[in-house]
Amino acid sequence: MKEEPKSENNEQQKDKKDTSDSKKDNNTKQENKDVEKKKQHKEKEKNSDSKKDNSTKQENKDVEKKERETNKPKPGTTDRIPVELISTVDGDTSKFIYDGKIQSFRFLLIDTPETKHPRLGKQPFGQEASDRTAELLNNANKIEVEFDVGQKQDKYRRNLAYIYVDGEMLNNILVREGLAKVAYVYPPNTRYLSELENSQEVAKSEKIGIWSLDSAFEKERKEESNTQNKVDNKAQDNTSINDNSNSSVENDSTINKPSSTDQNSESFPNCTALREVYPNGVPQGHAAYESKHDRDKDSYACEVN
């Protein structure tokens, strides 16, 4: 009979223990839930911070891009635009990587003797000019181009520009060394015309390069002069014949009446004179077209090269 109370006590103690263990389990579960919530909250904060960082980075990139575009050299201004040399063609033409593409450039306001002209062939100092251009461009640490305010390309789609090698204008170097002359002057692309003309006068006074005896351009001018003299003499002979004919057939107006082609034709002594009236030259069939001015036989006289 005395053992029964002990049994009851044991059961009560067991129940208490079970209840305590259950509470502990519940507390542990709650603690685990709290820990998980904290982890999730931290993860959200981390993701939010990451998004903010990405947004800030994108904003910084946009600002930098805008600044680059704002500060990018602009054609038509005195801004010099860096380019990369691909090859040289001759004394006054080269190919560069410009605006992400390989493009041809014709040096503004100058002309060097030919090296591979279909009619003129290789002119004196043509190879020297070509070699000098190649030397300066290939040895330059920095090559830049500068556009003028007017026409940016010629009819051959070559870019028209001033070329700089390590800060010095290549156009002017060639003129000063007597390897190029001032030519193809078409306003308003005349920013450095005075500077180039001054260099040309110095080269002339020193009689160097093309300004020496029997230079390429001297021969060319003589050929033009001789051709023009023949044309002038022929015109005088024709005029004399027509005058005599007119006096003998004065009453017949149809015999000596000039054709519509003769009435509309125009004659210029050289391309310089022609371009004063027609700056871009004239095509075959035009009243001012003459084969003597079409040196490359492309049916276009005195075009811009």
Side-chain angles (χ1 to χ4, degrees):
M1 293 295 292
K2 289 180 182 180
E3 291 178 358
E4 288 181 3
K6 286 183 181 180
S7 178
E8 287 178 2
N9 287 337
N10 289 337
E11 288 179 1
Q12 287 175 357
Q13 288 177 358
K14 187 178 179 181
D15 290 339
K16 284 181 181 180
K17 185 178 180 183
D18 291 341
T19 302
S20 176
D21 290 342
S22 177
K23 285 181 179 180
K24 285 181 179 179
D25 289 342
N26 289 335
N27 288 337
T28 302
K29 287 179 180 178
Q30 186 61 43
E31 286 175 358
N32 290 337
K33 284 182 180 180
D34 292 342
V35 169
E36 189 64 29
K37 281 183 179 180
K38 286 181 179 179
K39 283 183 179 179
Q40 290 175 355
H41 182 67
K42 284 183 179 180
E43 193 67 30
K44 284 181 180 179
E45 286 182 342
K46 186 178 179 181
N47 290 336
S48 177
D49 290 341
S50 178
K51 285 181 180 179
K52 285 180 180 177
D53 288 342
N54 290 335
S55 177
T56 302
K57 287 178 181 178
Q58 187 59 45
E59 286 176 0
N60 291 336
K61 284 182 180 179
D62 292 340
V63 170
E64 288 174 2
K65 185 179 179 181
K66 191 172 181 180
E67 286 178 352
R68 282 197 302 270
E69 289 176 352
T70 302
N71 297 325
K72 185 178 180 181
K74 299 176 181 61
T77 67
T78 54
D79 289 345
R80 297 179 187 178
I81 305 167
V83 294
E84 182 181 339
L85 177 66
I86 293 298
S87 64
T88 57
V89 179
D90 54 26
D92 52 33
T93 308
S94 295
K95 292 183 179 181
F96 303 112
I97 293 180
Y98 166 71
D99 200 22
K101 296 177 289 187
I102 297 175
Q103 301 188 42
S104 291
F105 277 77
R106 178 66 167 76
F107 304 174
L108 262 175
L109 297 180
I110 70 167
D111 186 27
T112 60
E114 299 291 344
T115 55
K116 39 192 145 182
H117 195 280
R119 184 175 65 83
L120 299 174
K122 183 180 287 188
Q123 295 178 307
F125 295 101
Q127 192 60 53
E128 287 86 343
S130 183
D131 291 344
R132 182 63 170 144
T133 293
E135 176 191 3
L136 290 167
L137 287 172
N138 282 302
N139 292 329
N141 294 316
K142 187 176 185 181
I143 303 173
E144 300 165 296
V145 298
E146 177 186 335
F147 291 91
D148 214 322
V149 295
Q151 187 177 347
K152 301 295 182 292
Q153 290 187 330
D154 62 13
K155 70 174 188 175
Y156 303 109
R157 295 188 178 180
R158 297 178 299 186
N159 293 298
L160 304 172
Y162 305 104
I163 314 301
Y164 290 86
V165 286
D166 295 330
E168 288 191 64
M169 190 199 299
L170 177 54
N171 312 47
N172 193 49
I173 293 173
L174 294 171
V175 172
R176 177 61 187 85
E177 294 181 0
L179 298 174
K181 69 174 180 178
V182 176
Y184 305 114
V185 179
Y186 301 114
N189 283 348
T190 55
R191 182 179 295 152
Y192 300 112
L193 179 59
S194 296
E195 181 180 339
L196 291 167
E197 286 179 335
N198 290 337
S199 294
Q200 178 169 274
E201 287 306 311
V202 175
K204 276 184 177 181
S205 67
E206 295 176 357
K207 295 183 179 180
I208 57 175
I210 60 175
W211 308 115
S212 61
L213 187 63
D214 292 330
S215 71
F217 292 126
E218 287 293 339
K219 284 184 176 180
E220 191 175 322
R221 280 196 291 275
K222 287 176 183 176
E223 287 176 5
E224 285 184 358
S225 178
N226 292 335
T227 303
Q228 187 56 38
N229 287 336
K230 290 178 182 178
V231 172
D232 291 341
N233 291 334
K234 187 176 180 181
Q236 287 175 359
D237 292 341
N238 289 338
T239 301
S240 178
I241 292 170
N242 286 336
D243 287 343
N244 293 333
S245 180
N246 284 336
S247 63
S248 63
V249 289
E250 205 167 326
N251 295 326
D252 191 351
S253 61
T254 60
I255 292 177
N256 291 310
K257 184 178 179 180
S259 67
S260 59
T261 303
D262 292 336
Q263 288 176 325
N264 295 328
S265 64
E266 299 176 74
S267 181
F268 295 90
N270 51 48
C271 282
T272 301
L274 187 146
R275 290 196 194 103
E276 288 180 1
V277 181
Y278 303 104
N280 296 319
V282 295
Q284 188 171 14
H286 190 281
Y289 176 87
E290 292 180 80
S291 59
K292 68 177 181 178
H293 297 322
D294 186 7
R295 294 181 179 172
D296 53 5
K297 306 303 178 187
D298 63 349
S299 301
Y300 208 101
C302 301
E303 69 269 31
V304 181
N305 289 324

